[in-house]
Amino acid sequence: MSSATSQQAVASLHTEVTRLRHELQTLKGEHESPAAEQTMYVGQYLVERLVQLGITKMFGVPGDFNLGFLDFVEDHPKIDWVGDCNELNAAYAADGYARVNDGKIGVVLTTFGVGELSAMNGIAGAFSEHIPVLHLVGVPSTSQQKDKPMLHHTLGDGRYDAYYLASQQFTVAQGNLTNKDAAAAEIDRVLTECLVMARPVYLMLPTDVAYQRISAKRLQTPLNLEPPANDEETEEFVLNEIIKLVEEAQHDAILLIDACAVRHGVKKEVEDLYKHTGFPVYSAPMGKSVVAETYERYGGIYVGSISSPAVKDKVENAKLILSIGGLKSDFNTGNFTYHIPTQRTIELHSDHTRIKFATFPGIGMKRLLPKLTARLQSFRAGATALEVPKFQFPVPKEDNEIISQSWLWPRVGKFFQPKDIIVAETGTSSFGVLDIPLPQDSIFVSQILWGSIGWTVGATLGAAFGGLDRNLNRTILFIGDGSIQLTVQELSVMIRWGLKPIIFVLNNSGYTIERYLHGMTRKYNDISNWKWTSLLDTLGGEEGKNCKSYTVRTKTELSALLDDPKFANPDVIQLVELIMEKNDAPRALKVQAELSGKTNRYVAED
């Protein structure tokens, strides 16, 4: 068994023990409750549990196997059915909603077969990037599942479990509510694992079971979402070893924060760590905005050989690196060019800790970090003496009016405000925003690991709703003209709901990141040029009334728009077409593409 498999097995075992303890507590509460038994439909129970978890929006597409359940959703005063244009976009939206809403899950509802398979790419992306999403599927009745008639949406061969089996590849827990007596416990199990493991789960709701009555008593006991406890003796050993290594490093240590720090709910613990200890702190690309980028001890983004020289020097020459929530994918590490040896690295994860070459399964960072912070505070004097490069990116002076990639990103950086949600599409936009300091309490949203182009449109819909839940500021999307064509329909949903995102469409005539990877002049990287400023009007808006569109071709035009208070504080959805050079790209993207191109080896052998 591999180390990763062993760690996952231990983590799953810990989760199951926690669930069983909670189940005993719940059953005890039910037994002791003197109140008269209240009943409700299974579908109502599920909706009520979601509301208890703070979910205000459900995404998806109606279908004949989920319509009855949708009545419960529509009739509940505290949750809204959003209604998307297709299931893929709905899965993207649920993903975006969960990313912005720390500690909450995204929910996508589809119908059996055709609907759930359409959503599966979005669910796989959420799995890849550790996003808690409930994929709820309305399925045929229990009698139909047993008798296996040749129903529509089936494969015609009686395999009613085919989609369930497929879902197991992309979710950490699955359930089929075929037994009403076990339905409530099964719902609770799946939801708990979704949140504790921070990954998608899959739940089948048969049409008949949705309308069967069950006891509502379990709702009186909140779900236990605390991570499993660490073994005290092992945890103490781990803490002592970390302190020993910091002492050996003579305080020359840095913190490197990555995506799972926010995915697994330790953002506050990480903040306490770096503020109370004073150690220099850096982020990986997927961890951007986990650390406040206005913090004076924050040095910027480390992405292997692609990093700025100052950041690369400080991180790679530190005597000790404390990595928190790392996800070492190619685009997150500069194509695996991290030059931080294992013998100088400590890794903290949600379900294990790694010290140099030794792994400690079951020692999770949620409970470890507060104790580590307390132990490391005594090193503050030495830690604060370490120099940290200032994280800044001034707007360059260019003697032309062309909207270049090198000018665009630092210029829009001055447009950002505190509490903004900044969504960047995979490719040009995500690489461009990386080096730009973000304001206090802003949130960076990008799908760097899974990298499904067009993901950001649906994610922007979900993120905007999440921002309303959390009373955040504006939602701003940067996306290329190629990517937006895949999922553009969700703009109509934003208009219907009165959302007010600002959408910057980078019109550079095709797939720029693909051109740099391979085929700079190939036709397959070209696209159709749409009438971008007519999109919102076409998709249900009324230009000048509930939407506004702009085309900017020069630096002067863009700066004037960004400085316009009415544009900067929108009361309607806005779309800006940016006319840019076809073959221009951010520096980091060019370097990453060159590295990826060597790895892909698109070279014919003689």
Side-chain angles (χ1 to χ4, degrees):
M1 182 182 292
S2 69
S3 175
T5 303
S6 175
Q7 291 159 12
Q8 182 65 41
V10 171
S12 298
L13 181 59
H14 274 282
T15 302
E16 180 64 9
V17 170
T18 300
R19 186 191 69 78
L20 290 172
R21 286 174 177 166
H22 184 257
E23 184 69 12
L24 288 173
Q25 177 187 350
T26 303
L27 292 172
K28 182 180 179 182
E30 289 183 8
H31 179 72
E32 294 176 350
S33 175
E37 182 169 344
Q38 179 185 358
T39 65
M40 58 173 45
Y41 295 118
V42 171
Q44 289 176 311
Y45 181 95
L46 175 54
V47 173
E48 202 60 49
R49 267 302 190 210
L50 295 175
V51 170
Q52 285 185 354
L53 294 174
I55 311 305
T56 66
K57 299 291 182 289
M58 184 181 294
F59 304 92
V61 178
D64 55 348
F65 294 120
N66 64 33
L67 292 174
F69 171 73
L70 270 174
D71 289 344
F72 297 133
V73 178
E74 188 168 308
D75 291 343
H76 200 289
K78 293 185 178 180
I79 191 169
D80 293 316
W81 168 251
V82 173
D84 297 89
C85 296
N86 62 55
E87 292 85 359
L88 175 62
N89 291 352
Y92 289 166
D95 182 323
Y97 180 87
R99 286 179 193 248
V100 169
N101 255 323
D102 294 349
K104 294 184 182 179
I105 65 175
V107 183
V108 56
L109 173 67
T110 66
T111 197
F112 183 61
V114 291
E116 57 184 306
L117 292 181
S118 294
M120 199 163 285
N121 175 40
I123 300 301
F127 183 93
S128 173
E129 302 217 348
H130 292 249
I131 308 298
V133 172
L134 167 64
H135 185 187
L136 179 60
V137 184
V139 302
S141 68
T142 52
S143 61
Q144 289 173 321
Q145 290 185 51
K146 180 181 178 180
D147 297 337
K148 298 179 173 51
M150 193 179 292
L151 281 182
H152 61 289
H153 299 341
T154 69
L155 298 169
D157 61 359
R159 287 184 295 149
Y160 275 64
D161 64 345
Y163 317 128
Y164 179 90
L165 294 173
S167 76
Q168 293 178 355
Q169 306 303 313
F170 313 112
T171 56
V172 294
Q174 309 82 31
N176 186 2
L177 304 181
T178 55
N179 180 354
K180 74 167 188 174
D181 295 327
E186 189 72 346
I187 289 168
D188 290 355
R189 175 186 69 84
V190 169
L191 292 177
T192 299
E193 294 206 32
C194 183
L195 280 158
V196 172
M197 303 294 285
R199 272 187 159 154
V201 294
Y202 174 91
L203 190 62
M204 298 168 64
L205 179 60
T207 54
D208 55 332
V209 174
Y211 277 83
Q212 292 176 351
R213 285 199 168 271
I214 60 173
S215 170
K217 283 183 180 179
R218 289 183 66 96
L219 292 174
Q220 298 173 15
T221 305
L223 297 181
N224 180 8
L225 304 177
E226 289 297 313
N230 294 338
D231 177 77
E232 292 183 7
E233 187 175 358
T234 307
E235 183 181 68
E236 182 66 18
F237 178 82
V238 165
L239 288 168
N240 290 336
E241 286 297 301
I242 294 175
I243 299 304
K244 186 189 304 181
L245 290 176
V246 175
E247 290 174 342
E248 291 176 0
Q250 298 177 319
H251 306 185
D252 185 4
I254 62 102
L255 309 177
L256 181 58
I257 314 303
D258 209 342
C260 284
V262 67
R263 305 288 198 263
H264 292 276
V266 296
K267 187 174 180 178
K268 180 62 171 62
E269 289 82 356
V270 167
E271 181 180 8
D272 289 342
L273 175 65
Y274 64 73
K275 286 190 173 180
H276 285 97
T277 64
F279 284 110
V281 58
Y282 302 85
S283 293
M286 290 178 68
K288 185 175 177 63
S289 80
V290 177
V291 177
E293 299 192 344
T294 54
Y295 175 55
E296 66 272 12
R297 303 287 294 162
Y298 178 71
I301 302 292
Y302 176 66
V303 55
S305 62
I306 299 176
S307 312
S308 70
V311 170
K312 186 174 186 295
D313 175 68
K314 293 298 182 184
V315 173
E316 295 181 359
N317 289 317
K319 292 181 180 177
L320 186 66
I321 296 95
L322 184 59
S323 170
I324 302 176
L327 278 173
K328 295 181 180 179
S329 71
D330 53 354
F331 277 21
N332 204 35
T333 63
N335 214 56
F336 310 114
T337 58
Y338 265 25
H339 293 292
I340 47 177
T342 302
Q343 60 265 32
R344 288 195 278 124
T345 304
I346 298 167
E347 296 182 15
L348 305 187
H349 297 277
S350 63
D351 56 7
H352 71 283
T353 298
R354 185 175 176 86
I355 300 176
K356 294 187 176 182
F357 297 97
T359 300
F360 300 89
I363 303 300
M365 60 185 172
K366 180 73 172 178
R367 299 185 185 275
L368 183 69
L369 276 168
K371 298 174 184 177
L372 182 60
T373 298
R375 297 272 194 101
L376 289 176
Q377 288 188 64
S378 61
F379 296 95
R380 182 175 177 82
T384 53
L386 296 170
E387 181 184 355
V388 180
K390 187 172 180 58
F391 185 44
Q392 57 185 359
F393 199 140
V395 181
K397 294 182 179 180
E398 296 182 348
D399 190 23
N400 60 61
E401 281 291 308
I402 297 171
I403 302 176
S404 64
Q405 296 284 344
S406 59
W407 179 88
L408 172 65
W409 301 109
R411 179 61 188 88
V412 297
K414 293 182 173 295
F415 173 71
F416 296 149
Q417 299 174 5
K419 292 190 175 183
D420 276 348
I421 302 168
I422 297 148
V423 188
E425 178 64 41
T426 297
T428 301
S429 298
S430 61
F431 280 98
V433 174
L434 278 184
D435 289 330
I436 307 306
L438 301 183
Q440 185 71 27
D441 297 323
S442 55
I443 298 176
F444 177 66
V445 177
S446 189
Q447 197 189 53
I448 292 173
L449 174 52
W450 187 244
S452 184
I453 66 171
W455 169 84
T456 53
V457 183
T460 294
L461 171 66
F465 279 125
L468 292 176
D469 283 1
R470 293 186 54 190
N471 196 29
L472 297 176
N473 196 11
R474 308 170 301 180
T475 301
I476 304 170
L477 167 63
F478 295 94
I479 187 169
D481 53 344
S483 295
I484 195 173
Q485 292 190 8
L486 277 76
T487 49
V488 69
Q489 309 97 314
E490 286 322 283
L491 296 182
S492 66
V493 182
M494 300 177 199
I495 294 170
R496 175 159 55 88
W497 278 92
L499 298 174
K500 301 177 288 188
I502 302 173
I503 301 161
F504 291 94
V505 178
L506 281 59
N507 186 348
N508 50 13
S509 304
Y511 300 121
T512 298
I513 186 172
E514 309 292 1
R515 294 189 198 282
Y516 274 90
L517 288 169
H518 185 78
M520 181 64 74
T521 61
R522 291 289 185 175
K523 293 180 181 179
Y524 50 66
N525 285 325
D526 296 338
I527 63 168
S528 301
N529 187 34
W530 290 4
K531 295 180 179 178
W532 300 105
T533 53
S534 299
L535 269 182
L536 298 180
D537 209 41
T538 300
L539 294 172
E542 187 174 341
E543 186 65 33
K545 184 176 180 181
N546 63 356
C547 63
K548 292 181 181 178
S549 303
Y550 312 84
T551 296
V552 292
R553 301 175 181 275
T554 67
K555 290 183 171 76
T556 300
E557 290 177 351
L558 179 55
S559 289
L561 184 63
L562 296 177
D563 292 338
D564 183 345
K566 291 185 178 179
F567 174 80
N569 300 284
D571 56 3
V572 296
I573 186 174
Q574 299 182 116
L575 184 146
V576 182
E577 177 189 12
L578 301 176
I579 305 298
M580 305 187 70
E581 296 288 288
K582 182 176 182 178
N583 295 328
D584 191 14
R587 177 199 64 86
L589 186 150
K590 293 178 181 178
V591 177
Q592 175 66 59
E594 182 180 355
L595 293 170
S596 296
K598 292 178 180 179
T599 302
N600 292 338
R601 295 177 180 172
Y602 287 128
V603 178
E605 295 182 1
D606 293 334

